[in-house]
Amino acid sequence: MNGFIPALGGTDGSRSWFERAQHSLAGGISSCSRLTSTGPHPYPLYMASGSGARITDVDGNEYIDYLISYGSAVLGHASPLLTEALTQVLHSGTMFGTCNVPEVELAELICQMVPCAELVRFANSGSEAVQGAVRAARGYTGRSAILKFEGHYHGWSDTLAISNRPSAAQAGPYATPHPVPHSPGIPTGVIDDVVVCPWNDPTALRDVLDGHPNLAAVICEPIVANNACTMPDPDYLDLLREECTARDLVLIFDEVCTGFRTGPGGAQNLFGVLPDIAVFSKALGGGLPIAAFAGRRAVMEPLARGEVKHGGTYNASPLCATAALVTLRQLNDTTVTKRIDEAGQRLMETVRRAAHDNRVPCAVQGVGAMFQVVFSSDGAPTRGYRDLLSADSGRYDAFRHELLKRGVHSNAYAMACWFVPAVVSEDDLSATCQAVEGAFAALR
C-alpha cells in the first residue's frame, strides 16, 4: 500500500445508523464524547473495522486513525499480538470472579515499570481507578477534601467531575476558581469537597494550599491531555511534589492518558517527579477495558489490609489482564515508545511548517506520543485552562473536517489531543503530512 489516502466519500450509512440509534440509545450514543460530528453533517461516523493504524467506516471510507480509541489502541487495531493471546483466553475462560495468574504477572510488571508503584489495584476504567485512588488517599490521611486543577479531567463520576470545562461566566476569580459541577446530578456535598486551583501558577497554588489546610490530596494530569496537551511549566511538578511533602498531602498523578505511551514509566519518569499514587488506563489495556491505581506501599497499605474498601467483579479479568500484559511488554521496550515519539514529532513539525507557510497562527503542543493543535490568535501555547477559552474552536473544527476529507481521523474536540499508535507506518506518516498540508492550505 502506498501513502495515498482517497478523499472522503459519502457517509450516508453513518447518517442512517445514527437515525436508527436515536430510537434505542439515549441521544443515539453510548458516551457523550461520541457525538463527534464536524463539518456539514450533524451525525457521528460509524466505524466498521480497523487494522493497524487505519480504520474503515460503514460506507467504506478509510482513515489513518489518531484517535485510536482515545489513546487505548496503542498497538493499533486488530493487533496480531493481542488477537493471538486473547484467542487462547477466549477458549480457556474470560473471567471467573476469582484471583488469576495474569493479574499477578501484570501487577509485577507495573511495579517494575512505574517508579512510584509498590502496590497495585485494578479497575475497569480510568473513572473507576481515579475513585479508587481518591478513596485510598482519603483513607490514608483521614481527610476528605481534594485539590484539583481547573480544566483537568479525571473521569465522569461525581468524585472529581468538577470544573472540567466551565464557561468564563461560571469559572469565577482566576486565583480562586469556583468549583463548577460538570453536569446536573452531582450532589452539593461532593462539590464542597473539591478545591479548584489554576494550573502552572506557583503563587496561586501556595495561596490555595494555605487557605485549605485540611486537604487529603492534590491530583493533576501531568500533561493536561484534556486541555489540549497543555504542558507543565519547568519545575512546576517538582513544586507540587515539594508542597505535598511539606504539608503531608497525597500527590496523585492521573496518568490515564500519559501512562506508558510517553515511555515505560509514564509522565513521572519523563519529568522525574514521583507521585504517591498514579492512575492508569487507556494504553494499559491496548483497547480492552482495564485500569489501575498504583502507589507507595504506605499509602496503599490501608487498602491492602482491607480497611479501605475497593472491589469490582470485572477487575483484572483474565481477558483484560492478558491484553494489558501483551501491551505493556511491548511498551516496556524503549525502541517502541521512541518510535511513537519520533512519529509524533514529525507530525508536529509538519503542522508547524504548514501553519507557518499558510500564515495560520496556531500552537502545536504536547509530546510526540500525544499532542494537539491550538488555534490561538498569536500562536502562543496555552499555560492554563482559561487560555483555551479564547482559542478559535471554529477553525479547529474546520481543520479537523479538512483532515477527515483527506482520510485522517483525529479527535473532534479542540480541547483534547491526537494519539500516535505504535504501528503507524512510513506510508501512514507521508499520507498524514500530505493531508495536513492540504488542510492548512484550505484554511487560508
Side-chain angles (χ1 to χ4, degrees):
M1 182 187 292
N2 61 30
F4 176 71
I5 290 288
L8 180 67
T11 56
D12 285 347
S14 286
R15 175 188 54 76
S16 177
W17 276 107
F18 186 58
E19 290 173 353
R20 176 174 168 178
Q22 290 177 84
H23 295 288
S24 55
L25 282 168
I29 49 180
S30 293
S31 166
C32 290
S33 63
R34 292 185 191 169
L35 192 60
T36 55
S37 59
T38 55
H41 305 306
Y43 49 83
L45 296 176
Y46 280 69
M47 297 303 162
S49 64
S51 178
R54 301 196 180 204
I55 52 177
T56 304
D57 69 20
V58 293
D59 291 286
N61 300 300
E62 187 180 65
Y63 311 83
I64 305 170
D65 189 17
Y66 296 99
L67 179 66
I68 55 167
S69 306
Y70 296 91
S72 299
V74 63
L75 301 185
H77 300 287
S79 164
L81 292 170
L82 286 170
T83 300
E84 180 180 353
L86 296 180
T87 297
Q88 297 178 32
V89 181
L90 290 174
H91 286 293
S92 61
T94 58
M95 64 172 293
F96 308 105
T98 67
C99 298
N100 63 81
V101 171
E103 70 178 346
V104 180
E105 296 175 326
L106 178 59
E108 290 172 343
L109 183 54
I110 290 173
C111 289
Q112 293 170 24
M113 294 175 69
V114 176
C116 81
E118 294 179 334
L119 291 175
V120 181
R121 269 295 177 94
F122 292 110
N124 301 290
S125 69
S127 293
E128 282 186 36
V130 165
Q131 291 180 73
V134 168
R135 180 173 288 185
R138 285 171 167 161
Y140 173 71
T141 63
R143 302 185 292 270
S144 61
I146 308 294
L147 186 150
K148 75 168 302 273
F149 293 92
E150 190 172 51
H152 292 215
Y153 180 68
H154 304 295
W156 70 274
S157 63
D158 289 356
T159 308
L160 283 170
I162 307 295
S163 294
N164 302 332
R165 300 278 170 81
S167 67
Q170 295 172 318
Y174 163 79
T176 55
H178 293 159
V180 180
H182 186 57
S183 164
I186 296 176
T188 302
V190 171
I191 301 167
D192 292 342
D193 273 337
V194 178
V195 177
V196 182
C197 182
W199 181 241
N200 274 334
D201 189 325
T203 300
L205 172 65
R206 292 190 181 100
D207 288 346
V208 171
L209 290 172
D210 287 343
H212 297 83
N214 205 33
L215 294 169
V218 174
I219 187 170
C220 71
E221 293 183 82
I223 297 174
V224 196
N226 293 280
N227 277 190
C229 280
T230 296
M231 297 291 285
D233 284 349
D235 300 325
Y236 189 72
L237 295 178
D238 294 276
L239 173 66
L240 282 182
R241 177 68 277 171
E242 292 166 8
E243 291 292 336
C244 287
T245 300
R247 299 167 190 264
D248 193 27
L249 306 178
V250 175
L251 177 59
I252 303 171
F253 278 4
D254 183 339
E255 294 222 46
V256 166
C257 291
T258 56
F260 307 114
R261 68 166 34 259
T262 58
Q268 59 192 267
N269 196 60
L270 184 67
F271 295 110
V273 179
L274 267 62
D276 298 301
I277 303 177
V279 181
F280 303 96
S281 191
K282 305 292 187 192
L284 171 62
L288 269 73
I290 187 169
F293 56 104
R296 292 195 299 114
R297 182 173 298 274
V299 179
M300 298 286 285
E301 194 60 42
L303 191 76
R305 293 194 298 265
E307 296 167 8
V308 173
K309 303 300 182 183
H310 165 257
T313 298
Y314 297 94
N315 291 354
S317 69
L319 187 73
C320 295
T322 297
L325 266 174
V326 170
T327 302
L328 291 198
R329 285 168 178 162
Q330 290 295 304
L331 297 180
N332 199 26
D333 181 348
T334 55
T335 62
V336 174
T337 49
K338 181 182 179 184
R339 186 165 65 246
I340 293 172
D341 182 70
E342 289 175 345
Q345 293 290 348
R346 178 175 167 186
L347 296 176
M348 294 170 77
E349 284 304 312
T350 299
V351 173
R352 291 188 182 106
R353 184 174 61 251
H356 176 269
D357 292 348
N358 290 280
R359 298 180 179 178
V360 177
C362 70
V364 187
Q365 54 193 44
V367 294
M370 46 188 285
F371 65 89
Q372 184 56 299
V373 183
V374 179
F375 291 94
S376 51
S377 59
D378 58 358
T382 58
R383 293 186 61 250
Y385 170 73
R386 299 193 190 198
D387 294 340
L388 286 161
L389 296 177
S390 59
D392 190 341
S393 59
R395 178 164 268 187
Y396 177 84
D397 290 346
F399 174 61
R400 193 250 182 180
H401 191 67
E402 290 297 332
L403 289 174
L404 275 179
K405 291 194 298 185
R406 292 164 173 80
V408 173
H409 183 247
S410 59
N411 203 305
Y413 294 103
M415 287 191 181
C417 58
W418 293 45
F419 292 104
V420 178
V423 292
V424 66
S425 68
E426 179 60 34
D427 285 344
D428 296 329
L429 289 172
S430 296
T432 305
C433 291
Q434 182 180 346
V436 165
E437 290 164 355
F440 270 99
L443 292 181
R444 282 187 300 190

